[in-house]
Amino acid sequence: IHGVWPDHTSFIMYDCDPLKKYKTIDDTDILTKLDARWPQLTSIKSIGLKSQSFWDYEYRKHGTCCADVFNQSVYFDISMKLTDSIDLLKILRTKRIIPGYTYTGDQISRAIKSVTQNNPNPKCTYIGRSLELKEIGI
């Protein structure tokens, strides 16, 4: 998971309340569950769990856009539930789409849509001369 971004049909929602403070998560059970689903890949695990800089960034950038409906704790709980309900790697494996092989965007999108019933938003990036899947928006 990269993040959970509230959506609006008329405009993109981000930086709704960037001055809102992130409350460091202290509960080790929640930290373990959150880290398993939303690891902070830019640092060593122990440092990431202590600084929580990526979760802080994502919450202030996107989570604050729904803060009038969901507090920070609920935002992260919903994030984990969504991740558990839509296991993209499992969907792709089940549809025989395996990392290290080449597939078209349509193949990837059809595989995901066949399970979620929604059109995914795959994004790719060039690595050298090769196009690689970077993220999938659901």
Side-chain angles (χ1 to χ4, degrees), residues 100-127:
Y101 292 88
T102 302
Y103 305 94
T104 67
D106 285 341
Q107 288 173 306
I108 293 168
S109 293
R110 277 195 311 270
I112 294 168
K113 185 176 181 178
S114 73
V115 175
T116 66
Q117 307 305 310
N118 290 299
N119 289 317
N121 183 15
K123 293 185 181 167
C124 298
T125 187
Y126 278 99
I127 306 293

Side-chain angles (χ1 to χ4, degrees), residues 89-104:
L89 292 177
K90 182 178 179 183
I91 291 169
L92 294 173
R93 279 192 308 269
T94 300
K95 298 297 179 175
R96 302 196 193 291
I97 295 177
I98 304 162
Y101 292 88
T102 302
Y103 305 94
T104 67

Side-chain angles (χ1 to χ4, degrees), residues 18 20-24 40 51-64 72 76:
K20 188 169 185 74
K21 295 287 184 192
Y22 170 84
K23 184 180 177 212
T24 301
Q40 300 182 86
S51 72
Q52 302 178 15
S53 59
F54 188 53
W55 299 332
D56 178 345
Y57 172 80
E58 287 297 318
Y59 178 72
R60 284 185 296 109
K61 183 157 184 118
H62 301 291
T64 59
Q72 177 183 312
F76 284 111

Side-chain angles (χ1 to χ4, degrees), residues 5-14 16 65:
W5 305 343
D7 202 2
H8 192 283
T9 56
S10 302
F11 54 88
I12 297 171
M13 296 177 70
Y14 61 89
C16 297
C65 294

